[in-house]
Amino acid sequence: MTALPWLLLLLAADPADGGTASPRKLPEYLEELFQEKGDDGQPVLSAQDRAKLEALPEHTVQLIAEKMDKLTVSGAPHLKRLLTLDLSPQLAELVFQDNCIVCHTDAEAQKKQDLFSPDPKADGSPAHLSLKEVVSDVHFRKGLSCSGCHGGSPDAPRMTADIAARWPKKEDRKQGRAWVVDFCGRCHGDPSFMRGFNPGLPTDQVAKFKESQHGLLLLQKGDPKAAQCVSCHGVHGILRASSPRSTVNAARVPETCGHCHADAQYMAGYTRADGTPLPTDQLERFKASVHGKALLEKGDTGAPACNDCHGNHAAQPPQVASVAQVCRTCHAQNGALFDGSKHKMAFEKHGWPECGQCHGHHDIQEPTDALVSDAPDGLCGSCHKEHAADHPECNQGAAYFRATIGQLAESHHAFEPRIERFAELGLDVEPILASAAELEEGLIQSRARIHAFDRGGFDLAAAPARAAVQKTEGLLAAAEQERRFRRNGLLGAIGAGGLLALALWLKIRQLDRRRRGGDS
Amino acid sequence: MSQARRGRVLDWLDERYGLRPLLDFLKHKEVPRGGHSLVWYYLGGTTLFFFTVQIFSGVLLLMYYQPGEATSYESIRYLTTKVPFGWLIRSVHCWSAHLMIVSLVAHMFSTLMLKAYRPPRELTWVSGFLLFAVALGFGFSGYLLPWNELAFFATSVGTDSVKGVPLIGQWLLEVMRGGQDVSINTLYRFFALHVVVLPLSAIAIIGLHLLFIQRQGMAPPMVHQRHATARQGLKFFPDFFLRDLLLWLLCLTALVTLVFLMPYGPRIPGIDWELGKKANPLAPAYPGIKPEWYFLWIYQLLKEFPPHLFGLEGPQVALALVTVLLLTWAVVPWLDRRAAREQPSPAFNDLGVAALLFIGFLTLKAWDIGGLRPGQAGLPDAAASARACAFIALGAGAAVTLLRFVLARHRWFVLSGAALLQVTLHGLAGVGYLAAGAISVALAAVAVAVLRRRTPREAAAP
């Protein structure tokens, strides 16, 4: 018991115990803020707020104190709003250097329509005045703050006339959004200026936009509904396209385009070149397609989004000639095979959009072997019936391709349960699995080779798959032989054991009888 | 060899080594008969048979197995896929290991039920208990040797529980693992244990166990179980020995049949030895890793404990409980004073049934029986599993109790009743496992106290 006080003393003296470290001394102006009380009589700034301040570098804290001194930060509630952003030291430095942000976050001094808020909905300010978005904006993080677009100087303690100098006049802004393109283009179209921020970023966006369907509508036809920079990139919360939160990130592009293009009301009145109404089901169809599932469900950002086929800044509907080139950017081998095929000229003659003719466009599905069909209503048969009626070899070719890949696929399918069964029985199935993998690879090559529509080339591609079928059959037969050998071994062992057991049992019975005879 | 020549050979040997007394002993050795079935006397023999299979198949495995980071997995893979009959050797070794444990546990419980541990055979029981511990050690150490993913993670989890040992836990963990984490050093240690230390220990303790049995003879039935017209014992040589041989032959046939039908085991968690992927210490552990079936009850018990209990860490308390239970089991011959006086001791029959129900319920729960609907992915539903396992345990418990009541005329069911009460409270009424256990133990203690008070003291007289 006598050791107890000593132990307590030791624990109390333990520096790792925590909670006893003295708080960092803050500048006087800031210390005073911690005494300020709200309407409920409680201090406005909490211990967590102090911890946030203490985590900032010394010079940033000094900067905040200076702002307090000059009344740019008006009081504890104002500082608290800024601290709710949980800023990193670098961002805190940027925020507190900028008088525009500091003043326009003061709820007591600003009208609601000019108030940047950490929560615009709660404060009743417009949605685009979200302070959280501003501090995550790529421009802000690169040092381009409010004055970069709006004019003026972040050092100015009050609003000055030159703040409005760079910004279009209100009546111009009310005309429409056409001015936005050149406004952004002042920097984004200037390679020497952009080199200082992001040398890898292209600077041809404005030129491309002017060629795009959106650009033509906005700039030439004066259509205010046509998309311009902020329609896709946003206003104060613009992020790099690589950010998953960006509206132009690959996985979010369909949703961004669909914001207008899937809205039937918004798109009413827009037509294709042939005068038919522009459909608004592209997004739904894309979501159900093999590309949409890969991009939106599996998160494979390598899968194409709208802009990969239509372009982004120069967005246009792909023409018949260009759509096949779009597909070839990824499906190069199939494209090359098609280019060397008889179909190439026939498709050109009819003005058919090569890949899209068989596979569709927005709702492209994973192709199945059933796609290749010489039946009168099949994909190949229906076309050949009309355009190759005097060439029976065309349909025969389709039938041959289908039969061959069907047989190979059937073999592959039939091998699986047999291999599984042998694996369950503990046989070495690795060589069989390797051979089945060769068959699978051969099958993929054969399916791709159909795009050349040439039996000779197809047979060359199918030969390794056919060889793999033979090899797998041989290995499976050997495995079956091994299984029989094992089974016969087991039966032999059981038989020999049974005979021995029978002999033992007879011997035991004989002994028992002898004992009973002896007893009696 | 003719009778005369055999006699001459024996004489020659006897002159040199004095074999006659030994032969006389064997000639007169008998197995007690009457009271209960002779079947229970064979289980030690079958355990020994499976142990012998382990030694032989283990030696064959050793001819190919090369312990090492780059060789353990590869050599087992080579053995099972390329070496003629290599698959057979590994599968025999694995199946026989499990069957040995089954046989050993059956032998232990039959010894308990027949009170064969009563004086003067207390040390035979203790040596048997040590063999049980050695068998578990064999299982634990052998599991890691193929150096595959499952073995690696199961050993990581298994050795981690050693931390719960007071004061020396961390040290013990590092000694077992040969470092902070499971590594190839752990495998070297386990290999040495599995092929040298444990076999030598097992052979020594088996020798002692058999020596005790030869010196004292097999335990005769209890006085109240003997028939009035008990015949003389069955001659060990050749009558009993031939029966032993016949049973071993049947065991061997069953073993090879299982090996052919299920070379990787029945694919139940804890009874599955598919090689799978090579161990990768940097890979994340996947969910659902379970130890061998005979450790599942301890695994589940650890899961039933909260992180902290009575100011201690939950696993520490759980391990302390397991230690107390196992030590109690080891000293049963001294606790069962009625059996020592050749009086019926129904409490210890009931203890055996209660132990089976306790271990059985935890094992079923560890398998998540009833917790996952067919085709359902994700985590199993613990409450649904507890309910399903409770129904199985209650069904089995009721059937056993009825059989005991009618056939064996047992009338003492306090401990098995407590085990079933815990299962009911936990599985059907939704009470926490530990709370249900505490209530059941408390009620059982009250019941025992009341029964002791009612039982006349003279009943305890010799």
XYZ file of all heavy atoms in Angstrom, chain A residues 423-426 428 430 483 485-487 490 494 497 500-501 504 507-508 511-512 515, chain B residues 77 81-82 85 87 235 238-239 242-243 245-246 249 253 256-257 260-261 263-264 267:
361
model
N -9.849 -32.230 -60.872
C -9.206 -31.445 -59.805
C -9.736 -31.883 -58.453
O -8.992 -32.021 -57.486
C -9.462 -29.964 -60.027
N -11.046 -32.132 -58.387
C -11.657 -32.584 -57.131
C -11.078 -33.917 -56.702
O -10.943 -34.191 -55.513
C -13.159 -32.735 -57.314
C -13.853 -31.413 -57.546
C -14.767 -31.046 -56.417
O -15.488 -31.938 -55.984
O -14.739 -29.880 -55.984
N -10.757 -34.752 -57.698
C -10.207 -36.073 -57.379
C -8.711 -36.008 -57.085
O -8.073 -37.030 -56.889
C -10.471 -37.038 -58.538
C -11.909 -37.539 -58.634
C -12.119 -38.306 -59.925
C -12.251 -38.428 -57.449
N -8.169 -34.806 -57.086
C -6.777 -34.630 -56.689
C -5.782 -34.893 -57.802
O -4.594 -35.058 -57.543
N -3.450 -33.959 -61.121
C -2.712 -32.759 -61.500
C -3.340 -32.176 -62.764
O -3.135 -32.683 -63.860
C -1.242 -33.138 -61.743
C -0.435 -31.938 -62.191
O -0.885 -30.807 -61.945
O 0.646 -32.145 -62.772
N -2.984 -28.981 -63.813
C -2.319 -27.764 -64.315
C -2.025 -27.810 -65.809
O -2.313 -26.851 -66.522
C -1.049 -27.496 -63.517
C -1.386 -26.800 -62.232
C -0.392 -25.746 -61.844
O 0.710 -25.735 -62.392
O -0.749 -24.956 -60.963
N -7.261 -41.792 -63.384
C -8.358 -41.947 -62.431
C -8.765 -43.419 -62.336
O -8.971 -43.948 -61.249
C -9.561 -41.109 -62.876
C -10.692 -41.055 -61.863
C -11.973 -40.520 -62.462
N -12.575 -41.450 -63.418
C -13.329 -42.499 -63.094
N -13.600 -42.739 -61.831
N -13.818 -43.293 -64.023
N -6.889 -45.954 -63.030
C -5.797 -46.686 -62.362
C -5.940 -46.566 -60.844
O -5.826 -47.545 -60.117
C -4.461 -46.107 -62.829
C -3.265 -46.645 -62.094
C -2.822 -47.946 -62.329
C -2.602 -45.861 -61.159
C -1.732 -48.445 -61.641
C -1.514 -46.359 -60.468
C -1.080 -47.656 -60.716
N -6.244 -45.348 -60.411
C -6.416 -45.130 -58.968
C -7.624 -45.911 -58.450
O -7.573 -46.521 -57.391
C -6.611 -43.638 -58.670
C -5.346 -42.851 -58.866
C -5.541 -41.401 -58.463
N -4.344 -40.625 -58.786
C -4.171 -39.369 -58.435
N -5.104 -38.729 -57.776
N -3.056 -38.721 -58.743
N -8.716 -45.859 -59.220
C -9.924 -46.552 -58.775
C -9.659 -48.051 -58.701
O -10.015 -48.721 -57.729
C -11.062 -46.282 -59.756
C -12.393 -46.846 -59.297
C -13.350 -46.974 -60.456
N -12.783 -47.831 -61.511
C -13.266 -47.898 -62.745
N -14.285 -47.152 -63.095
N -12.711 -48.707 -63.636
N -7.668 -48.852 -55.776
C -8.487 -48.841 -54.562
C -9.279 -50.146 -54.449
O -9.294 -50.774 -53.384
C -9.453 -47.638 -54.607
C -10.505 -47.624 -53.501
C -9.888 -47.234 -52.176
C -11.642 -46.676 -53.838
N -9.057 -52.813 -51.576
C -10.212 -53.221 -50.784
C -10.401 -54.740 -50.880
O -10.662 -55.421 -49.881
C -11.493 -52.474 -51.263
C -11.388 -50.994 -50.909
C -12.745 -53.069 -50.641
C -12.526 -50.141 -51.451
N -7.618 -56.414 -48.904
C -7.907 -56.188 -47.475
C -9.093 -57.018 -47.042
O -9.087 -57.604 -45.946
N -8.119 -60.656 -46.628
C -7.331 -60.815 -45.406
C -8.246 -60.712 -44.185
O -8.116 -61.495 -43.230
C -6.268 -59.703 -45.374
C -5.037 -59.962 -44.515
C -4.353 -61.255 -44.914
C -4.056 -58.798 -44.677
N -9.199 -59.760 -44.264
C -10.128 -59.570 -43.152
C -10.981 -60.817 -42.988
O -11.228 -61.272 -41.861
C -11.007 -58.345 -43.409
N -8.979 -63.455 -41.351
C -8.842 -63.160 -39.916
C -10.133 -63.497 -39.172
O -10.100 -64.090 -38.083
C -8.539 -61.670 -39.720
C -7.081 -61.260 -39.792
C -6.968 -59.747 -39.781
C -6.301 -61.846 -38.621
N -10.492 -67.081 -38.761
C -9.547 -67.564 -37.734
C -10.090 -67.252 -36.341
O -10.028 -68.098 -35.428
C -8.189 -66.876 -37.960
C -7.128 -67.214 -36.954
C -6.595 -68.628 -37.168
C -5.592 -69.031 -36.088
N -5.323 -70.472 -36.117
N -10.668 -66.039 -36.201
C -11.229 -65.634 -34.911
C -12.395 -66.571 -34.540
O -12.497 -67.035 -33.412
C -11.689 -64.155 -34.955
C -10.474 -63.238 -35.036
C -12.521 -63.790 -33.744
C -10.804 -61.808 -35.441
N -11.077 -69.877 -33.464
C -10.531 -69.789 -32.103
C -11.666 -69.794 -31.079
O -11.603 -70.498 -30.068
C -9.738 -68.493 -31.953
C -8.262 -68.540 -32.310
C -7.663 -67.148 -32.208
C -7.523 -69.490 -31.377
N -12.721 -68.965 -31.405
C -13.851 -68.861 -30.477
C -14.511 -70.224 -30.276
O -14.845 -70.613 -29.148
C -14.889 -67.865 -31.014
C -14.449 -66.439 -30.776
O -13.401 -66.257 -30.118
O -15.122 -65.504 -31.249
N -12.388 -72.330 -28.164
C -12.444 -71.933 -26.743
C -13.731 -72.442 -26.112
O -13.736 -72.927 -24.997
C -12.409 -70.410 -26.618
C -11.166 -69.784 -27.194
C -10.184 -69.365 -26.099
N -9.062 -68.680 -26.733
C -7.871 -69.230 -26.915
N -7.615 -70.466 -26.490
N -6.920 -68.552 -27.500
N 4.197 -29.284 -53.665
C 3.516 -29.224 -54.962
C 4.100 -30.289 -55.910
O 3.368 -30.993 -56.598
C 3.693 -27.817 -55.544
C 3.004 -27.620 -56.813
C 2.645 -26.201 -57.136
N 1.640 -26.278 -58.170
C 0.352 -26.389 -57.942
N -0.100 -26.360 -56.720
N -0.499 -26.523 -58.925
N 2.044 -33.498 -57.418
C 1.689 -33.480 -58.844
C 2.606 -34.351 -59.704
O 2.173 -34.894 -60.698
C 1.721 -32.046 -59.415
O 3.010 -31.499 -59.187
C 0.665 -31.173 -58.776
N 3.858 -34.484 -59.329
C 4.811 -35.178 -60.209
C 5.274 -36.538 -59.679
O 5.525 -37.445 -60.463
C 6.057 -34.301 -60.441
C 5.744 -32.924 -61.007
C 5.350 -32.962 -62.458
C 5.028 -31.577 -62.956
N 3.714 -31.481 -63.559
N 2.491 -41.570 -56.862
C 1.831 -41.844 -55.578
C 2.111 -40.786 -54.503
O 1.787 -40.991 -53.340
C 2.172 -43.239 -55.041
C 1.760 -44.335 -55.985
C 2.688 -45.021 -56.717
C 0.415 -44.641 -56.148
C 2.313 -46.010 -57.615
C 0.018 -45.627 -57.046
C 0.971 -46.312 -57.783
N 0.676 -37.887 -54.246
C -0.637 -37.422 -53.794
C -1.195 -38.345 -52.731
O -1.794 -37.910 -51.754
C -1.612 -37.353 -54.985
C -1.887 -38.700 -55.593
C -1.139 -39.343 -56.522
C -2.966 -39.580 -55.265
N -1.674 -40.566 -56.816
C -2.809 -40.743 -56.061
C -4.041 -39.511 -54.396
C -3.685 -41.824 -55.993
C -4.924 -40.588 -54.338
C -4.740 -41.741 -55.131
N -8.495 -63.879 -24.038
C -7.035 -63.951 -24.156
C -6.554 -62.874 -25.124
O -7.131 -62.692 -26.189
C -6.636 -65.335 -24.672
C -6.696 -66.397 -23.611
C -5.644 -67.466 -23.871
C -5.430 -68.374 -22.671
N -4.944 -67.667 -21.495
N -4.019 -65.188 -28.919
C -4.159 -64.407 -30.149
C -5.554 -63.761 -30.292
O -5.751 -62.986 -31.184
C -3.974 -65.471 -31.226
C -4.576 -66.708 -30.622
C -4.366 -66.618 -29.138
N -6.510 -64.126 -29.379
C -7.921 -63.763 -29.625
C -8.134 -62.263 -29.825
O -8.692 -61.818 -30.831
C -8.803 -64.257 -28.469
C -8.696 -65.757 -28.293
O -7.549 -66.249 -28.277
O -9.726 -66.423 -28.193
N -6.015 -60.682 -32.755
C -6.548 -60.930 -34.104
C -7.708 -59.980 -34.394
O -7.856 -59.474 -35.501
C -7.017 -62.373 -34.240
C -5.911 -63.414 -34.388
C -6.497 -64.807 -34.481
C -5.060 -63.133 -35.632
N -8.534 -59.736 -33.386
C -9.644 -58.786 -33.559
C -9.098 -57.375 -33.810
O -9.621 -56.620 -34.642
C -10.526 -58.776 -32.311
C -11.420 -59.994 -32.187
C -12.066 -60.023 -30.800
N -13.156 -60.967 -30.729
C -13.007 -62.269 -30.504
N -11.795 -62.776 -30.360
N -14.065 -63.065 -30.433
N -6.254 -56.716 -35.199
C -5.742 -56.717 -36.571
C -6.864 -56.526 -37.579
O -6.743 -55.767 -38.540
C -5.044 -58.046 -36.872
C -3.562 -58.152 -36.548
C -3.045 -59.517 -37.008
C -2.769 -57.067 -37.266
N -7.985 -57.223 -37.328
C -9.142 -57.130 -38.222
C -9.642 -55.689 -38.274
O -9.911 -55.137 -39.350
C -10.244 -58.075 -37.724
C -11.530 -58.112 -38.529
C -11.246 -58.494 -39.972
C -12.525 -59.091 -37.920
N -7.318 -53.465 -40.172
C -7.475 -53.698 -41.603
C -8.673 -52.901 -42.134
O -8.602 -52.294 -43.211
C -7.693 -55.200 -41.830
C -7.271 -55.777 -43.167
C -5.816 -55.465 -43.449
C -7.490 -57.278 -43.169
N -8.692 -49.839 -44.832
C -9.566 -49.817 -46.011
C -10.363 -48.516 -46.052
O -10.481 -47.877 -47.100
C -10.521 -51.029 -45.971
O -9.747 -52.189 -45.749
C -11.286 -51.166 -47.269
N -7.983 -45.677 -47.146
C -7.653 -45.566 -48.573
C -8.889 -45.173 -49.390
O -8.780 -44.477 -50.399
C -6.995 -46.843 -49.160
C -5.626 -47.067 -48.590
C -7.861 -48.062 -48.982
N -10.066 -45.600 -48.946
C -11.291 -45.215 -49.656
C -11.493 -43.702 -49.562
O -11.774 -43.027 -50.560
C -12.509 -45.955 -49.065
O -12.214 -47.340 -49.033
C -13.756 -45.712 -49.893
N -9.036 -41.885 -51.754
C -9.387 -41.894 -53.178
C -10.548 -40.950 -53.461
O -10.513 -40.181 -54.422
C -9.744 -43.315 -53.627
C -10.269 -43.359 -55.039
C -9.398 -43.270 -56.117
C -11.634 -43.425 -55.291
C -9.877 -43.274 -57.418
C -12.120 -43.429 -56.587
C -11.237 -43.354 -57.658
N -11.575 -41.005 -52.625
C -12.774 -40.204 -52.897
C -12.553 -38.722 -52.636
O -13.058 -37.873 -53.368
C -13.947 -40.707 -52.050
C -14.442 -42.115 -52.383
C -15.539 -42.519 -51.431
C -14.953 -42.175 -53.826
N -9.330 -36.671 -51.907
C -7.889 -36.539 -51.611
C -7.539 -35.263 -50.855
O -6.526 -35.210 -50.191
C -7.231 -36.570 -52.985
C -8.299 -36.518 -53.982
C -9.607 -36.742 -53.344
N -8.370 -34.219 -50.984
C -8.077 -32.971 -50.247
C -9.003 -32.787 -49.055
O -9.182 -31.675 -48.569
C -8.208 -31.765 -51.185
C -7.198 -31.765 -52.300
C -7.597 -31.692 -53.626
C -5.841 -31.840 -52.011
C -6.663 -31.701 -54.648
C -4.908 -31.860 -53.028
C -5.319 -31.790 -54.345
O -4.389 -31.796 -55.343
N -13.547 -30.820 -47.690
C -13.720 -29.401 -48.054
C -14.596 -28.646 -47.051
O -15.356 -27.756 -47.435
C -14.308 -29.244 -49.463
C -13.562 -30.008 -50.532
C -12.257 -29.329 -50.823
N -11.471 -30.057 -51.801
C -11.246 -29.650 -53.030
N -11.731 -28.531 -53.444
N -10.486 -30.347 -53.832
